[in-house]
Every structure is written in C-alpha cells, then in structure tokens.
Amino acid sequence: MGLDFSVIPKYLDIVLLGALWTIGITVGAALVSFFGGIFLAVIALYAPAVVRWPFRIFSFLFLGTPLLLQLFLIYFGLVQIGIDVPAFVAGVIGLGLHFAVYNSELFQTSILAVDKGQIEAARTLGLSRMQALRKVVVPQAVRDVIPPIGNNMIALLKDSALVSVIGVSELTLSAQRAIGSTYRPFEFYVLVAAIYYIINLGMEAVLRRVERRIQASK
Amino acid sequence: MSAQKPFIDIRHAKKSFGTLEVLKDISLQVDRGQIVAIIGPSGSGKSTLLRAINDLDPLTGGEIWLEDKQINMDLPHRQYERHINEVRQEIGMVFQHFNLFPHLKVRENVTLAPKMLKGLTDAEANALAEEQLTKVGMIERIDYYPSQLSGGQKQRVAIARALAMKPKVMLFDEATSALDPELVEEVNLVMKQLAEEHMTMIIVTHEMGFAESVCDRVLFMDQGVVVEEGPPEVIFRNPKSERTQNFLRKHLAGQKA
C-alpha cells in the first residue's frame, strides 16, 4: 500500500477546524500562563510567608507531575467534587497554569534584575510598593523576559496536543479521527505536523515583532 | 536661627547597619526656603542622612519632622506605609543616577505619579508635564525615551518629575556626580533657578563652587557626625576644624589634578 495524499482534501475541513481549536487553546493558555506567571512571581517575591507557601506548594505540584496527569485531574477529577468544566476550559486552565509556573521562574529573575533605583524613584514620588511594582518594575521586567517567555509559548503550542486526551477536537485529535476513517496515518500526521510548524512560524513572527517594538523603546 | 519652628527638624538622628554606626546623633534644622549643602568624604554618612529624610534608609534612632508632621512615626506597618506614601509626596528627590523610568517617555515619567496619586486627568497631567519640562528646558524632548537623552538632560527630566508633585522640599543626592563635566552646568542652572524661587533644598554635593554660590549653609560631615557647619564663606574660606581644612585641601588638589 503506497502513499496516497489524495484523501486529504475530503478531510481538510476537519483538520483545519482542529487547527483553529489548537490556536484557540494556545492563545488562551498563553494568556493564562503570562498573567498567571507575573502573579505567581510577585507572590513568590513579595507576599508574606502565609500567602507564599501555599502558592509555592502549588508550583511544586505543577512542576513535579506530568501535564497529562494534571489535565486528567482537572477534567475528570474535579467533576467528582462538583466542579464540571468543559474540556476546552479544562485544557486552557491546565496548560495555562502549568506554563504559568515555568514563566513565573523567568519573571522572578527579571523582576529582581530591575535596578533598585527604579523602585526607590517610584517610592520617593509617593507610590506604594504595589503601585511601584505594577507601573515601574513589572513592565520593565516583562520587557526583558519576552524572548525566553516566547520559547515557553512555543513549547506550550506543542504540548497543546496533550489536550486531545480529554476530548478537545484540536489538531491532533482531528487527525486521529480522519485516520480512523481513512487508515492513512502517515499522510495525516505529516499534514498535521506541517500545520503545527506553520502555526509555530506565525508565533515566531509575532514574537519578533514584539521584540522589535520593545527594542525601539530601549 | 529664627525663632519660629524649623521647617525640617532632624533630632538626634542615629543609624547603624549592624555594628557599623553610620550616623551618630545628628541634629539639623532647616528653615523654609533655606538651602543647605552637605559635604564630606565618601562614607561620611551624608547620603544616608539625606535618604533618611524620606525614609529610604530608615533611622535606627531619633526623629525627623517636616513642619508639624513627624516623618519616621512609630506606627503599625500598614498605617506607616500609608503615612510615608503621603509624606513622600511632599519631598522631591533627585538621584545621582537619575533613575528615570526607561520604559516610559519623558512625558509619562513626569505624569505617572501625579496621575496615580493626585487623580489628575490626562489633560491636566499633560499641562503639568509641559509646564515642568519647560521650566527645566526639556519641553522639546517630551516625546523622547530616556535612553535618547544625555546625562544632563536625564537629570533635568528627573528634576521635572520630582517638581510635578509640587513638593515642599527637594533633596539632591549628588545630582551632578555622574555627569560629564560639560553637562554639569545645565543641571546646576536648574538648581539655581529653584533656589531663586525659594525652594527649600538639601543638597549632598562634591561641587564646592556650586555649594558656595547657592547655599545658605554648609554642613561638613565626617564619620557619621557633623564636624562643622556655618555659612559657606566661613566653611570654605575659613574653616575652624582641622578635619574640614584637610578635606577641602585634598578636594581642591583632586580637582586640579
């Protein structure tokens, strides 16, 4: 049995719809991981111990256990205690929080790297510590950390394939469905790989734009 | 000294870092509109004293008063934060390394605090920024980023940023020490202009000539104490203390070299 790519057009709409879901999950989870990462970083650096420790334990759990397991827990596990989240939302939250923990490490480093004189200047004007963090320190920290955060976001895109296991019809799962009807795994997996790669290129282009923007104001 | 209550009153200020005593019982009164220069070798505690006034380096003993308000009050943490944020709005500070906010344009550097803390509208804040930047001669650069400015220009913007909060006092912490020599004058001019407007100022400086021409009083500090204080013509021309004489001699020799 040779290769036959002519089966693809018939299933292209399913695959492309899957690509849209993948993009949706990635964008949603990227937002959660970005703002969640900043939030976790500020907690880790500035919150009193009673607040810091629960978050620290939370972070350890997310770093130390498989993402796949976390998705199962959020989607199948939480129902038992009465929290029923749709698969898409569970995927966005699971992926988002997982990467928020990674991003938090980056944000912590870059927040600490902002010159101490910046917070002093803000405080002498009368800003509170939180105001100074929000308006002066965090924006600079974010700016400095965009390239490595971008790498995390590309990892996030690839890991979004895991969300297929909780039944979100994203790219990987839609490929599997097409394969189920056609028995053409090679053709569809190659197609899907190409689509992931194209989304990846798109993300990199957006990142480069953002970086150039930032560079202009430095 | 006038009979009225001093504008700024530092009473028995003490500060130690561990076993190191940086300020040893310093008292200083400054009247409204007065300009005081603090000179002395590095490590003498002059910057620490200045930074204690707005509580950047909190004292370990003594009191600091601004008019009838004690700055370093003994309050529970939360209340103290609220208190000190209010006090700091009345005290402008200018740093050696400018500390402009690099992610914001000149305009936003000036408007940030008035907008956040005084609830100014965009239009009001812009008008304020334009007024202050005109005053320091930086209005043409209002839409530049700090990285596009020279050191002297940065420092003038930093002064405008502090003035935008309409402070009662301005503190200058070696405002011209980080500048190339040819850029010092433009910053000194702005400070002279403030002096003419009778802004109360405390200036930590290495610029003896500037201190002599602008200040009403000069304090010479060494090893955490005020060795000698008086009008500039006495301190610079006719110092009584041997330590002051030595410092000025060394300093002058250093400037000629």
Side-chain angles (χ1 to χ4, degrees), chain A residues 115 117-118 120-128 131 134-136 139-140 143 217-218, chain B residues 51 54 56 81 85 88-89 91 95 99-103 113 116-117 145 147 161 165:
Chain A
D115 183 52
Q118 290 291 310
E120 284 190 350
R123 301 284 330 251
T124 54
L125 289 166
L127 270 67
S128 69
Q131 287 172 322
R134 195 155 52 84
K135 289 288 184 174
V136 175
Q140 291 182 57
R143 220 173 57 152
S217 70
K218 266 193 177 171
Chain B
R51 290 163 58 87
N54 62 9
L56 277 186
E81 282 292 300
N85 291 338
R88 281 172 174 157
Q89 294 187 33
I91 306 175
F95 299 87
N99 298 350
L100 289 181
F101 307 132
H103 60 302
M116 286 185 87
L117 303 174
Y145 281 101
S147 60
R161 175 177 71 178
M165 288 303 287

Side-chain angles (χ1 to χ4, degrees), chain A residues 183-203:
Chain A
Y183 305 104
R184 291 272 167 198
F186 187 86
E187 290 86 338
F188 279 100
Y189 283 139
V190 167
L191 171 69
V192 162
I195 295 175
Y196 272 115
Y197 187 65
I198 290 166
I199 299 175
N200 208 328
L201 288 179
M203 279 178 77

Side-chain angles (χ1 to χ4, degrees), chain B residues 84-188:
Chain B
I84 200 68
N85 291 338
E86 276 170 26
V87 169
R88 281 172 174 157
Q89 294 187 33
E90 305 189 324
I91 306 175
M93 177 133 186
V94 176
F95 299 87
Q96 183 179 6
H97 295 290
F98 332 122
N99 298 350
L100 289 181
F101 307 132
H103 60 302
L104 301 177
K105 289 179 175 176
V106 165
R107 177 197 303 274
E108 294 153 339
N109 264 276
V110 180
T111 58
L112 178 73
K115 267 163 77 171
M116 286 185 87
L117 303 174
K118 296 190 168 172
L120 265 59
T121 63
D122 283 349
E124 288 165 343
N126 276 331
L128 178 68
E130 281 159 24
E131 179 197 340
Q132 297 305 333
L133 289 167
T134 305
K135 189 167 176 174
V136 301
M138 287 300 297
I139 188 72
E140 284 88 28
R141 301 292 155 100
I142 191 164
D143 287 316
Y144 283 50
Y145 281 101
S147 60
Q148 298 167 300
L149 306 178
S150 74
Q153 292 174 328
K154 283 182 193 166
Q155 196 59 297
R156 286 189 281 151
V157 172
I159 293 172
R161 175 177 71 178
L163 290 176
M165 288 303 287
K166 310 280 183 195
K168 295 175 174 168
V169 190
M170 286 286 284
L171 309 177
F172 291 87
D173 191 5
E174 302 195 19
T176 55
S177 317
L179 297 178
D180 291 336
E182 73 271 20
L183 303 177
V184 168
E185 196 48 35
E186 64 186 67
V187 174
N188 282 348

Side-chain angles (χ1 to χ4, degrees), chain A residues 138-172:
Chain A
V138 168
Q140 291 182 57
V142 166
R143 220 173 57 152
D144 294 339
V145 87
I146 289 294
I149 294 278
N151 292 340
N152 277 357
M153 295 305 96
I154 283 163
L156 187 154
L157 163 68
K158 292 186 284 180
D159 281 356
S160 74
L162 283 172
V163 176
S164 59
V165 298
I166 55 171
V168 181
S169 305
E170 45 67 72
L171 199 45
T172 303

